[in-house]
Amino acid sequence: MLAKRLIWMTLLVSAPVPSSFAEVSAQTVASNAQAAQADSGTSTDFFVMPGSDFDRPGLVPRANLNIGIGHTFGFLKKDPIGDELTVGYTYENAGNHGFFHTDFGSHTEALGVMKNFGLPKIKAVSGYTWIQAGLCSFTGNAHVENRLYDGESLGGVIHFNNHNSIWVQETYNKMPTVPWYTTTGIGYTWSW
């Protein structure tokens, strides 16, 4: 904090003194535009979650391969539900043996809204809530069974830098005619 103050003081002292009101106005407009752009917080996230889920009840490890993209919108920053819209595809092994693939699987295409939030006094970790809805198709039976999907997640993001992070999340999954279950997932995200 002291270093930031010293930098600002140095910049203020070394800044040229404007000679007219028009110069002051132009500098103010330019600095406000730069601040608004930096403050908008828009970014695009490409996420790959090739981790394992631990489906409960039973803590059965299953492959859950999730890929998707999300984009934050500056005008949604104050929206209580979310500031990032997402689209994703998930494959989950639904068989009773094997890890990566059996004849029984679920394929889910979902749209979502995510709310990112900071944690007090912690810069390297942030949190998020994520609500998703979509269509889940179960394969392996005589015919494909389609179900509406609802997923509600709470997670944390470990930031390595502005572009690389790890997501860890707990998700409550619900589909009609299928008992609800929770999953724990982990994945990698590239942001730009």
Side-chain angles (χ1 to χ4, degrees):
M1 191 65 157
L2 180 60
K4 284 184 182 178
R5 288 183 183 168
L6 289 175
I7 291 170
W8 278 108
M9 289 173 59
T10 305
L11 291 173
L12 288 175
V13 170
S14 63
V17 177
S19 60
S20 69
F21 177 74
E23 219 175 296
V24 171
S25 296
Q27 288 176 354
T28 303
V29 168
S31 66
N32 286 346
Q34 289 172 348
Q37 185 178 12
D39 216 19
S40 68
T42 61
S43 72
T44 301
D45 299 324
F46 174 71
F47 54 89
V48 179
M49 298 187 187
S52 173
D53 278 352
F54 292 97
D55 294 349
R56 286 179 284 285
L59 291 177
V60 179
R62 291 287 178 251
N64 185 312
L65 309 173
N66 188 340
I67 187 167
I69 193 163
H71 185 75
T72 58
F73 292 92
F75 68 91
L76 291 174
K77 279 290 183 196
K78 296 190 187 237
D79 187 276
I81 296 177
D83 57 0
E84 182 170 350
L85 301 179
T86 65
V87 60
Y89 167 79
T90 303
Y91 166 78
E92 186 174 8
N93 176 9
N96 61 3
H97 69 282
F99 180 77
F100 283 112
H101 181 69
T102 63
D103 289 340
F104 296 96
S106 65
H107 307 266
T108 305
E109 295 85 20
L111 298 174
V113 61
M114 182 181 288
K115 180 66 176 176
N116 299 287
F117 55 89
L119 300 174
K121 300 182 181 182
I122 301 174
K123 299 251 187 235
V125 179
S126 62
Y128 64 90
T129 58
W130 191 9
I131 300 170
Q132 297 181 80
L135 181 66
C136 183
S137 301
F138 292 99
T139 58
N141 294 317
H143 62 281
V144 175
E145 298 176 19
N146 295 315
R147 305 280 189 270
L148 293 175
Y149 168 77
D150 170 35
E152 297 158 14
S153 303
L154 177 64
V157 181
I158 303 164
H159 302 275
F160 296 111
N161 55 38
N162 288 339
H163 299 291
N164 300 288
S165 59
I166 297 291
W167 292 7
V168 180
Q169 71 184 29
E170 181 74 14
T171 304
Y172 171 83
N173 301 282
K174 181 67 180 122
M175 289 173 267
T177 71
V178 175
W180 68 270
Y181 62 98
T182 60
T183 58
T184 301
I186 186 168
Y188 169 77
T189 300
W190 170 260
S191 303
W192 68 93

